[in-house]
C-alpha cells in the first residue's frame, strides 16, 4: 500500500470516527422523536403550494389567497400559545399525539372544502391544531436529552426537519402537478403515521423515558412572561427571523430579476443550504458545544448572516460565484445560531414551565414568518433591493451586538445574586 493510500485511509478513518462521535451519545428516544419529525415534515406539502392551490384550483384572487395564508399565521401563533400551556399541564407526549392526529384529520377535511369561507375557517383551525405540536416537540427534545448533548439533540431534530422539507417539497411538486387535492390526503396520512409511530415507540406505557405529568400543587417561580432576559431574547429572535426568512422569499426573486439567474440554478442554490446543514451541522455542533456561552455562538452566527446580506450589494463580480459564497455564509451563520437558540431557551426553563417558554419561542418564528416576507417586499418595491440588503444587514449587526450585551447583562445579574447569597 502506497503512502498516499495510507494517508487517504487514515483521513477516511478519522472522518468516520468524527461522524460517529458527533451522532453518538444521544438517547434512543431522541432518535425516535427525530424520526417522527422526519415523517411529519416529509408530508408537509400543502403550505408551500397553498397559494397556487387557491388561485388555480379554487379560483380566488391573489389577495384572497394572501388573506388565507394570513389566517394560517394567526392560527399558528394562537396554537403555539395554547400548545405550550397545555404541555406544561398534561405533558409533551399527549400534546404531540393529539395534534398529530387532529392535524392529520384537519388536513384531509380542508382538502374537501370548496367554499372560500369554509377554507378560511378550516385553514385557521388546521394551523391552530397543527402548530400546537411545535412547543410540545421542543419540550420533548429537552426532556430526552442531557445538558451536555442538548444542542446536538436539537440539531438532530433540525436535520430531520430539513430532510423532511426537502423530500416533501420535491414530492409535493410532483403530486400538485397531478392532483392538488391529493396533497391534503398525503399530508393528513403522514401526520397520522407520525402519530402511530409516536405511540409505538414513545408512549409512556412503552417507554419509561417518556415524561408523565403528575398533578401537583402549583409550583412557585417565575413564568416566561416574568423573565426579562428571555423576553429580550425573544424580541431579538423575532427581528432575526424576519431577516432570515428573506432567504426563501425576496432573495430568490432578487436572483431572478437582478442577477438573471435561471430558476433551476436558484433552486440548486436553495437546496445547497439544506444539503450543507445535513452534512456538516452535527459535527460542527459536536466540536463547539459547551466551549463558549450560548449567546456568543448566536451572536457570531447572526454576524455571518449580516455579512452575507452585505455581499449581495457587491458589483463587478461573477454572479454565480457570489451567490454560492453568500449561501455558504448564510448556512454557516444558520448552523452557529439556530441550534444554540434552542439550547438558550431551554437553559432558562424548569420542567414545570418549559411549555410556555417553548410557546414564546414558536410564536417569535411564526410571527416573523407572517410579517417578514411582506415587510421585505415592501422595502424592495419602494426603495430597491440594495436598500433592503443594507437595512437587513444593519438590523442583523444590531441584533448581534444586543445578544452580546444580553450575555453581559446575564453575567452581571448572576454576580449580583451571588453576592446577595
Amino acid at each position: 500500500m502506497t503512502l498516499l493510500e495510507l494517508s487517504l485511509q487514515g483521513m477516511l478513518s478519522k472522518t468516520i470516527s468524527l461522524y460517529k462521535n458527533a451522532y453518538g451519545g444521544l438517547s434512543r428516544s431522541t432518535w425516535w422523536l427525530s424520526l417522527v419529525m422526519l415523517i411529519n415534515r416529509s408530508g408537509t406539502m400543502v403550505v408551500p403550494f397553498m397559494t397556487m392551490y387557491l388561485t388555480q384550483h379554487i379560483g380566488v384572487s391573489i389577495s384572497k389567497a394572501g388573506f388565507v395564508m394570513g389566517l394560517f399565521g394567526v392560527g399558528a401563533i394562537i396554537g403555539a400559545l395554547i400548545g405550550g400551556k397545555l404541555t406544561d399541564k398534561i405533558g409533551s407526549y399527549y400534546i404531540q399525539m393529539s395534534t398529530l392526529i387532529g392535524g392529520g384529520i384537519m388536513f384531509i377535511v380542508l382538502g374537501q372544502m370548496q367554499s372560500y369561507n369554509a377554507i378560511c375557517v378550516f385553514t385557521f383551525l388546521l394551523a391552530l391544531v397543527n402548530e400546537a405540536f411545535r412547543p410540545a416537540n421542543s419540550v420533548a427534545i429537552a426532556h430526552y436529552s442531557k445538558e451536555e448533548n442538548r444542542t446536538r439533540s436539537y440539531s438532530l431534530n433540525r436535520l430531520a426537519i430539513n430532510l423532511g422539507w426537502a423530500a416533501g417539497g420535491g414530492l409535493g411538486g410532483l403530486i400538485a402537478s397531478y392532483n392538488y387535492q391529493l396533497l391534503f390526503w398525503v399530508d393528513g396520512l403522514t401526520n397520522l403515521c407520525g402519530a402511530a409511530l409516536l405511540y409505538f415507540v414513545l408512549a409512556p406505557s412503552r417507554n419509561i423515558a417518556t415524561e408523565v405529568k403528575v398533578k401537583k400543587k402549583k409550583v412557585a417561580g417565575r413564568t416566561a412572561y416574568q423573565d426579562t432576559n428571555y423576553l429580550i431574547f425573544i424580541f431579538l429572535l423575532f427581528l432575526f427571523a424576519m431577516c432570515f426568512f428573506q432567504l426563501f422569499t425576496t432573495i430568490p426573486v432578487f436572483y431572478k430579476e437582478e442577477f438573471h439567474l435561471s430558476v433551476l440554478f436558484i433552486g440548486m442554490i436553495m437546496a445547497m443550504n439544506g444539503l450543507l446543514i445535513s452534512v456538516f451541522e452535527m459535527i460542527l455542533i459536536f466540536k463547539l458545544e459547551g466551549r463558549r456561552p450560548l449567546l456568543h455562538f448566536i451572536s457570531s452566527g447572526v454576524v455571518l448572516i449580516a455579512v452575507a446580506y452585505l455581499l449581495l450589494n457587491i458589483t463587478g463580480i461573477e454572479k454565480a460565484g457570489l451567490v454560492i459564497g453568500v449561501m455558504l455564509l448564510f448556512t454557516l451563520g444558520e448552523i452557529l445560531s439556530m441550534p444554540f437558540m434552542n439550547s438558550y431557551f431551554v437553559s432558562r426553563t424548569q420542567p414545570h414551565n418549559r411549555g410556555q417558554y417553548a410557546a414564546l419561542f414558536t410564536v417569535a418564528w411564526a410571527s416573523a414568518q407572517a410579517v417578514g416576507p411582506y415587510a421585505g417586499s415592501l422595502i424592495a418595491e419602494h426603495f430597491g433591493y440594495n436598500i433592503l440588503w443594507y437595512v437587513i444587514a444593519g438590523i442583523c449587526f444590531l441584533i448581534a451586538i444586543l445578544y452580546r450585551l444580553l450575555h453581559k447583562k446575564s453575567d452581571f445579574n448572576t454576580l449580583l445574586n451571588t453576592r446577595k447569597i
Side-chain angles (χ1 to χ4, degrees):
M1 189 176 289
T2 66
L3 185 61
L4 177 60
E5 287 174 330
L6 286 171
S7 178
L8 289 174
Q9 189 179 51
M11 288 176 61
L12 179 61
S13 177
K14 286 181 179 179
T15 302
I16 292 173
S17 178
L18 177 61
Y19 274 92
K20 188 176 179 180
N21 291 332
Y23 284 88
L26 304 180
S27 71
R28 181 175 295 182
S29 298
T30 297
W31 282 95
W32 282 126
L33 197 63
S34 295
L35 182 57
V36 171
M37 179 59 80
L38 176 62
I39 293 171
N40 176 245
R41 292 307 165 192
S42 294
T44 307
M45 304 173 189
V46 166
V47 176
F49 295 95
M50 191 66 174
T51 302
M52 286 191 288
Y53 169 73
L54 290 168
T55 54
Q56 296 179 20
H57 185 79
I58 301 299
V60 303
S61 65
I62 187 67
S63 61
K64 284 190 172 183
F67 179 73
V68 172
M69 297 312 295
L71 284 175
F72 187 93
V74 173
I77 292 169
I78 297 174
L81 292 171
I82 294 173
K85 190 174 184 63
L86 291 177
T87 296
D88 284 337
K89 283 184 175 295
I90 63 177
S92 61
Y93 168 78
Y94 296 105
I95 298 303
Q96 288 180 96
M97 178 62 74
S98 59
T99 53
L100 283 172
I101 294 173
I105 294 170
M106 291 300 299
F107 269 119
I108 295 171
V109 171
L110 178 60
Q112 311 311 306
M113 299 296 107
Q114 297 298 312
S115 157
Y116 177 73
N117 289 336
I119 289 172
C120 287
V121 171
F122 280 95
T123 297
F124 173 80
L125 293 175
L126 167 65
L128 190 146
V129 173
N130 206 50
E131 295 304 303
F133 171 83
R134 289 179 182 268
N137 181 254
S138 294
V139 169
I141 297 167
H143 174 73
Y144 292 128
S145 62
K146 298 177 182 177
E147 188 174 349
E148 60 268 21
N149 63 25
R150 186 152 289 153
T151 305
R152 280 193 295 137
S153 297
Y154 279 106
S155 290
L156 183 66
N157 197 257
R158 273 173 43 79
L159 173 61
I161 292 171
N162 275 287
L163 291 176
W165 270 100
L171 185 59
L174 291 175
I175 294 174
S177 64
Y178 173 72
N179 186 330
Y180 272 116
Q181 284 188 313
L182 190 56
L183 287 174
F184 293 91
W185 280 98
V186 174
D187 271 19
L189 291 174
T190 50
N191 261 38
L192 295 175
C193 286
L197 177 61
L198 186 71
Y199 171 74
F200 283 114
V201 298
L202 291 176
S205 60
R206 296 168 179 268
N207 190 321
I208 60 173
T210 297
E211 175 188 33
V212 178
K213 289 282 185 180
V214 179
K215 194 169 183 180
K216 303 177 184 177
K217 293 180 180 179
K218 191 172 180 180
V219 181
R222 72 183 179 192
T223 67
Y225 306 97
Q226 297 168 328
D227 187 345
T228 306
N229 282 12
Y230 188 67
L231 293 177
I232 294 171
F233 170 81
I234 286 296
F235 176 69
L236 295 178
L237 175 61
F238 167 72
L239 293 179
F240 166 76
M242 282 207 303
C243 296
F244 179 78
F245 279 127
Q246 308 305 316
L247 175 62
F248 304 104
T249 53
T250 51
I251 283 183
V253 178
F254 170 75
Y255 285 163
K256 182 65 178 173
E257 292 181 354
E258 302 295 322
F259 284 4
H260 308 294
L261 299 174
S262 70
V263 174
L264 176 61
F265 184 76
I266 295 170
M268 290 174 63
I269 291 297
M270 294 295 111
M272 187 176 84
N273 173 259
L275 179 63
L276 290 172
I277 287 172
S278 301
V279 174
F280 294 111
E281 179 168 298
M282 284 294 287
I283 59 172
L284 282 173
I285 296 301
F286 172 68
K287 288 291 187 181
L288 296 174
E289 189 171 18
R291 300 203 171 189
R292 291 286 187 90
L294 298 172
L295 289 171
H296 172 87
F297 289 121
I298 295 169
S299 176
S300 299
V302 176
V303 167
L304 289 177
I305 290 174
V307 173
Y309 276 113
L310 284 179
L311 290 179
L312 292 174
N313 281 333
I314 289 181
T315 57
I317 192 172
E318 200 269 323
K319 301 303 181 187
L322 174 64
V323 166
I324 291 172
V326 165
M327 183 54 78
L328 288 173
L329 276 175
F330 262 117
T331 305
L332 183 56
E334 181 180 348
I335 290 172
L336 280 177
S337 57
M338 292 190 186
F340 292 103
M341 288 175 173
N342 283 290
S343 293
Y344 180 82
F345 108 70
V346 175
S347 72
R348 310 289 303 178
T349 69
Q350 297 294 326
H352 71 274
N353 64 12
R354 200 162 278 161
Q356 59 185 245
Y357 276 82
L360 286 180
F361 192 87
T362 303
V363 165
W365 282 103
S367 303
Q369 191 169 16
V371 176
Y374 181 63
S377 64
L378 284 179
I379 295 173
E381 182 179 342
H382 290 93
F383 303 101
Y385 284 109
N386 286 353
I387 297 298
L388 174 62
W389 307 143
Y390 282 129
V391 168
I392 292 177
I395 292 173
C396 285
F397 279 124
L398 178 61
I399 292 169
I401 292 169
L402 292 175
Y403 271 135
R404 291 294 180 99
L405 292 176
L406 181 61
H407 172 63
K408 290 182 179 179
K409 179 176 181 290
S410 300
D411 281 350
F412 181 70
N413 289 343
T414 302
L415 180 62
L416 282 180
N417 291 333
T418 303
R419 287 182 175 177
K420 285 178 183 176
I421 292 171

